[in-house]
Amino acid sequence: MKGVCVQATLQQGAFKLDVQAGFAAGGVTAILGGSGAGKSTLLRLIAGLEKAKRGQVAVNGELWLDTAQKLFVPPQRRSVGFMFQDYALFDHMSVAANIAYGLKGPRKDREHAVERWLARMQLEQLGTRSPETLSGGQRQRVALARALATDPSVLLMDEPFSAIDGHLKSTLLDDLSAVVRDQQRTVLMVTHNVSETRAIADNIGVMAGGRLVRLGRADEVFDDPRAYEAALMIGWQNLLPVVWASGNRLGGAWGALDLDRPASLDAAWIGIRPERIRIEAEPGAGLPSTVKAVREFGPIREIECVLGNGARLIVHKAWDAPVPAPGTRVGVVLPAEHVRLLVEGSSAFLADQMVAPCSTQKEALA
């Protein structure tokens, strides 16, 4: 089957990576997570730079690792393009030589390939230069060209935009997106930047504590994180802890809420996007709260409301919508259809079917 399948456990001192997931073929999957979540280790495992204690790694139906069969394909034999955070360019070699590194075949074919990538990445005038003389954006283009020149089955990118700021980052994101679409490439990109993810990702995986706690289409993940750790990582602000649940009702020190579905006993938190919340002038409607502040953010007004137990909820309204003044007592309504139930910690392994579960991949590889 097409795509990247990982079913593996890896131990590094006290840290344990335990991932079972299938990443969709084609397009960009952004792997989000905090420092130490295991994002870079996952890429290195796929590339063969780390060895799993047990498990499988397969790309496009080809096994690269199977500990049960004592199979390990070394990194140099894996069809991988790897773009490191610091780009790892060879400063003693020219730009053209960097791009040619790893290419095989007759010299003329290699030269033509380099010329094509110099043109594709707008580096035509820089082929003879040393990478150390280039700007950060130019160095990134060289690194991307080198990673793609060998026509890899999968492109792995570790924080590729961390050293790039402002307008240049936006331009490079557009360029990368265009290259990926043109090449129909499968890309796994590690990042901690949610804005980068929104700009380029087709799919999103969120890692926490060495596990993949959420994996799905980008729009679905942003709408329903399913895991508390995933909600934090994608920037959800409105999170309330669940203390009890019964039938369709749940609550905590912040109050109680009726759902339009059974309240899962695994739910540790509820979350809701700020644009989904309604504010009612009558405090009896919804959760009683007090408006603490109103802030202007271009086309959006942000209203900060404080519940009786001190918990905070952020509400977004259009810039021209009427809003209550700070100090006003209001009712905050959380529409049941927009409330998301979130599990926490080890319960949170929630890969979506759309990314081809590894059990299916494994059967296909058997």
Side-chain angles (χ1 to χ4, degrees):
M1 292 182 67
K2 298 293 185 180
V4 179
C5 174
V6 179
Q7 292 182 313
T9 300
L10 182 152
Q11 193 81 39
Q12 293 179 331
F15 173 77
K16 181 180 181 181
L17 181 79
D18 187 2
V19 173
Q20 301 184 39
F23 299 99
V28 178
T29 297
I31 308 296
L32 288 165
S35 178
K39 309 182 301 297
S40 296
T41 303
L42 173 61
L43 294 195
R44 292 176 62 84
L45 177 67
I46 295 169
L49 302 177
E50 299 284 356
K51 287 190 177 182
K53 181 178 180 180
R54 63 176 178 272
Q56 286 186 328
V57 174
V59 174
N60 295 338
E62 180 183 351
L63 275 171
W64 288 352
L65 168 74
D66 190 335
T67 56
Q69 300 181 35
K70 297 184 179 179
L71 170 68
F72 177 79
V73 176
Q76 64 271 21
R77 289 181 50 209
R78 299 189 184 195
S79 181
V80 169
F82 204 131
M83 187 170 168
F84 295 90
Q85 183 174 357
D86 61 359
Y87 308 143
L89 297 174
F90 304 119
D91 286 334
H92 67 285
M93 296 166 57
S94 69
V95 166
N98 267 273
I99 296 173
Y101 187 81
L103 290 176
K104 295 178 174 59
R107 179 175 178 178
K108 182 173 289 188
D109 290 346
R110 286 182 280 132
E111 289 175 346
H112 286 164
V114 171
E115 289 173 2
R116 287 196 302 272
W117 279 105
L118 285 171
R120 181 65 184 83
M121 301 309 296
Q122 302 170 38
L123 298 166
E124 299 101 317
Q125 309 304 316
L126 305 176
T128 60
R129 295 262 297 271
S130 166
E132 64 185 353
T133 68
L134 304 181
S135 68
Q138 290 168 337
R139 288 173 63 85
Q140 191 202 51
R141 291 175 191 273
V142 176
L144 181 57
R146 184 180 65 180
L148 289 171
T150 57
D151 192 28
S153 297
V154 59
L155 173 62
L156 307 178
M157 308 179 75
D158 194 353
E159 299 278 6
F161 302 100
S162 60
I164 307 294
D165 295 317
H167 174 70
L168 179 58
K169 178 185 289 189
S170 177
T171 301
L172 291 170
L173 280 165
D174 290 342
D175 289 346
L176 172 61
S177 182
V179 169
V180 169
R181 301 299 182 268
D182 289 348
Q183 301 289 314
Q184 298 185 332
R185 193 71 54 195
T186 299
V187 180
L188 300 185
M189 182 182 81
V190 159
T191 181
H192 65 276
N193 190 304
V194 177
S195 64
E196 291 175 10
T197 302
R198 287 186 181 276
I200 198 172
D202 302 291
N203 308 304
I204 295 174
V206 182
M207 294 194 70
R211 291 173 61 86
L212 196 71
V213 298
R214 183 70 164 103
L215 183 59
R217 279 205 335 247
D219 58 341
E220 294 176 347
V221 174
F222 280 119
D223 182 66
D224 186 1
R226 297 193 188 177
Y228 173 69
E229 295 88 346
L232 287 178
M233 195 62 231
I234 64 175
W236 276 41
Q237 296 172 289
N238 297 325
L239 302 169
L240 300 173
V242 174
V243 175
W244 57 267
S246 178
N248 285 31
R249 191 170 174 80
L250 50 69
W254 45 269
L257 187 67
D258 290 314
L259 301 176
D260 57 351
R261 58 202 181 280
S264 170
L265 297 179
D266 291 330
W269 298 78
I270 62 168
I272 187 169
R273 290 166 59 147
E275 68 272 19
R276 303 296 193 184
I277 299 176
R278 297 201 318 269
I279 293 179
E280 301 289 347
E282 295 295 328
L287 301 173
S289 66
T290 302
V291 175
K292 180 179 180 181
V294 177
R295 306 178 184 93
E296 303 280 349
F297 291 103
I300 294 174
R301 284 184 175 180
E302 180 180 278
I303 306 148
E304 181 179 351
C305 299
V306 179
L307 304 179
N309 71 326
R312 185 185 73 152
L313 288 176
I314 299 296
V315 184
H316 284 174
K317 297 295 180 186
W319 68 271
D320 57 349
V323 297
T328 306
R329 295 279 295 168
V330 297
V332 175
V333 179
L334 312 184
E337 67 271 23
H338 296 306
V339 172
R340 303 296 181 240
L341 305 181
L342 310 172
V343 298
E344 184 176 22
S346 59
S347 300
F349 177 68
L350 299 162
D352 280 358
Q353 295 299 311
M354 57 76 62
V355 288
C358 278
S359 58
T360 302
Q361 290 258 14
K362 186 175 180 180
E363 291 165 6
L365 295 168

